[in-house]
Amino acid sequence: MISRLVERLLKLPAPATRRLTVQRDLRVPMPDGAELLADHWAPRTGGAGLPTAVLRSPYGRRGVFGAIMARPLAERGFQVLIQSTRGGFGSGGAFDPLRQEREDGLATLDWVVQQPWFGDAIVLTGPSYLGYVQWAVADRLPPQVKAMVPHVTESGLTLEFLREDGLSLETPFGWGVQVATQERRFALLRQRRQAKKVQQALSTLPLAQADVVAIGHRSDYIQDVLAHPETSPRWAALDHRDRVAGVTVPVSSVGGWYDIFLPGQLRDFRTLQDAGRRPRLTVGPWTHAGDLLTGAGVSLRETCEFGLALARGEEPPERAPVRLFVMGEEAWRDFASWPPEGYAPQRFHLQAGGTLATDVPGGSAPDRYRYDPADPTPAAGGVRMAPDAGRVDNAALEARADVLTYTTDVLGEDVEVIGDVHAEIWFRSSLRFADVFVRLCDVGPDGRSVNVCDGLTSLRDAAELAAVPVRLWPTAHRFRRGHRIRVQVSSGAFPRYARNPGTGEPHATAVTLRAADQEVHHDPARASAIVLPVRDFRE
């Protein structure tokens, strides 16, 4: 019953069989003597020799992973090996997030090809951490691996969160709490209570005590997140970005416009594209977790149609290399590459009186607002793991005194934006340490402002007037005729990003919060703008 409900929700092709057998708790030896547990799913008859889908998970092998991943694949032409990564759900060794996946992954693949039930083909698949472990081994794959299908993931997992010029706090902290508590008794029943503890912890000062508030003890991973930026040697072992160009098997990536890993996933795709590997890319209007079933359905279909065909020595169904859901138009479109050709950068300048236009601004005084980290500008929707992630109404956010908005006139024709988005904001603060957050929104005829993409840059010399570059999330969005384009400028999105205390103290130990007076300039010599890749419909 559950299996049939799942396949209807995921819109999967009809199964080849419903009769499966599962071997539980197979012991997979690692070179250092640890044994990792795995479950093997296969059709009850004729399973031996079928292509094997390999999934390696830190979240356990049963429950949702059995129902949504292992079972659907085993019913549609695969054997499935789903393994618990080191230190979790019965697997031996200690769990040290993200650091052991190359050695353990390579050892697991070597073990699979030696099993009596193995045929001659492997497909690597899975979302998030289960996709990251694919990249960890991607440049040393045995010849039996025929394809990879990474979903909402990238080769440098979490490194985007740890930028020195913008610490994403909520996601790595929340994930650290999740993996630290997921094996506790009644963990699923306690999720709502645990979520409240996490929200309380994120507002704790100093943040070095936040893991104790949320978990009850110290977390080495969370302490590392707070203490070590992206460039720290502490993270070198989990950075597999340099392996991507060495991948020789076909790769089909599935991502989401509001996914936490999207910039890195598109970077990985471009690396493969530039190396002539002919990868495939699908990006939908999804968040990381909120649209799990929809995105998982696309990923599973790619595993079956793309991965299984290659595992059988066949050509997968023909389609364009890039398939994007264009928001606003609310339609799927095919392209030859990412970013697609035919989209030229166009500057939309911030203007006096809260307007936004392609014209260079005239002379005007700067706009001002006060940012108080004791009452930080909140995150609303967007790129988060929170229940309200994705597209939301921005009315409450835009009503705040610490959020500036700049809006075009009503559009007389569609404006289609597909590609990378960035802003250049002429900014000055009363303090040296400040953040600049920029958000792009679509304002409908009813006045409802919906977020499209956004980004943040942290400054250490904000008291000096300068043009601040802000990289927003990539997007594909059509602003319809009759709508308006809006840009927000503020100094935070808490708790998605760590609040800037204004003192320059390290995130882990800061306890003093200083309010700041901020200026955004928009005159001919200091023309603040958002730069959008816009399609010319006249071509």
Side-chain angles (χ1 to χ4, degrees), residues 102-364:
R102 181 166 174 81
E103 294 76 12
D104 289 355
L106 292 171
T108 298
L109 293 175
D110 289 343
W111 179 86
V112 168
V113 301
Q114 297 171 16
Q115 299 313 297
W117 39 261
F118 179 69
D120 61 1
I122 294 172
V123 174
L124 306 183
T125 188
S128 195
Y129 198 111
L130 287 76
Y132 166 78
V133 299
Q134 300 174 48
W135 290 118
V137 299
D139 62 339
R140 264 192 57 193
L141 295 172
Q144 293 86 353
V145 176
K146 306 301 181 184
M148 291 170 48
V149 186
H151 172 206
V152 290
T153 193
E154 59 131 319
S155 59
L157 206 74
T158 78
L159 294 179
E160 167 69 28
F161 306 145
L162 309 178
R163 291 170 23 223
E164 287 191 80
D165 65 347
L167 173 63
S168 292
L169 175 65
E170 181 181 45
T171 294
F173 183 88
W175 186 80
V177 172
Q178 176 190 340
V179 295
T181 60
Q182 64 183 348
E183 292 192 68
R184 290 180 179 177
R185 194 177 183 187
F186 305 125
L188 287 176
L189 298 177
R190 294 176 176 174
Q191 281 186 336
R192 180 170 295 184
R193 181 181 176 188
Q194 185 65 63
K196 291 181 179 179
K197 284 187 176 182
V198 168
Q199 292 306 307
Q200 177 186 355
L202 290 170
S203 296
T204 297
L205 292 176
L207 274 173
Q209 302 296 325
D211 49 359
V212 176
V213 173
I215 304 171
H217 61 77
R218 287 296 179 113
S219 159
D220 290 342
Y221 172 76
I222 290 175
Q223 292 298 319
D224 283 347
V225 165
L226 296 174
H228 299 289
E230 173 193 10
T231 54
S232 168
R234 180 66 177 133
W235 303 112
L238 62 81
D239 184 0
H240 302 295
R241 290 176 291 190
D242 62 346
R243 306 192 192 285
V244 177
V247 177
T248 56
V249 302
V251 178
S252 182
S253 298
V254 179
W257 293 124
Y258 295 93
D259 180 55
I260 55 179
F261 299 124
L262 179 65
Q265 186 160 24
L266 294 177
R267 180 202 63 236
D268 291 341
F269 176 82
R270 291 185 70 170
T271 298
L272 293 171
Q273 183 179 255
D274 293 345
R277 301 290 188 246
R278 299 178 62 191
R280 292 197 344 184
L281 174 70
T282 306
V283 187
W286 310 311
T287 63
H288 189 75
D291 296 301
L292 178 64
L293 286 178
T294 308
V298 174
S299 179
L300 285 169
R301 290 197 298 275
E302 277 296 285
T303 304
C304 291
E305 296 175 4
F306 174 83
L308 188 56
L310 291 165
R312 291 171 171 169
E314 305 166 357
E315 285 296 316
E318 186 68 26
R319 55 153 273 193
V322 175
R323 180 162 292 169
L324 308 177
F325 187 88
V326 180
M327 298 178 293
E329 184 183 9
E330 303 303 302
W332 288 97
R333 300 248 302 281
D334 288 345
F335 300 88
S337 63
W338 175 267
E341 295 182 355
Y343 293 80
Q346 184 169 4
R347 298 176 68 88
F348 287 77
H349 293 101
L350 281 56
Q351 312 270 348
T355 59
L356 184 71
T358 55
D359 299 334
V360 175
S364 62

Side-chain angles (χ1 to χ4, degrees), residues 63 85 165 188 258 330 339 368 460 464 469 479 495 505 512 521:
T85 54
D165 65 347
L188 287 176
Y258 295 93
E330 303 303 302
R368 296 180 172 86
R460 303 186 66 83
E464 300 295 326
F479 296 87
E505 295 176 275
T512 302
H521 291 249

Side-chain angles (χ1 to χ4, degrees), residues 2 17 25 50 56 59 91 134 137 180 187 207 240 270 294 306 316 377 409 426 431 435 452 481 507 519 525:
I2 293 177
T17 181
D25 300 333
L50 290 177
R56 304 188 59 248
Y59 310 117
S91 285
Q134 300 174 48
V137 299
L207 274 173
H240 302 295
R270 291 185 70 170
T294 308
F306 174 83
T377 314
D409 292 336
W426 282 87
L431 302 177
D435 292 346
V452 175
R481 182 169 60 89
H507 289 292
E519 295 179 355

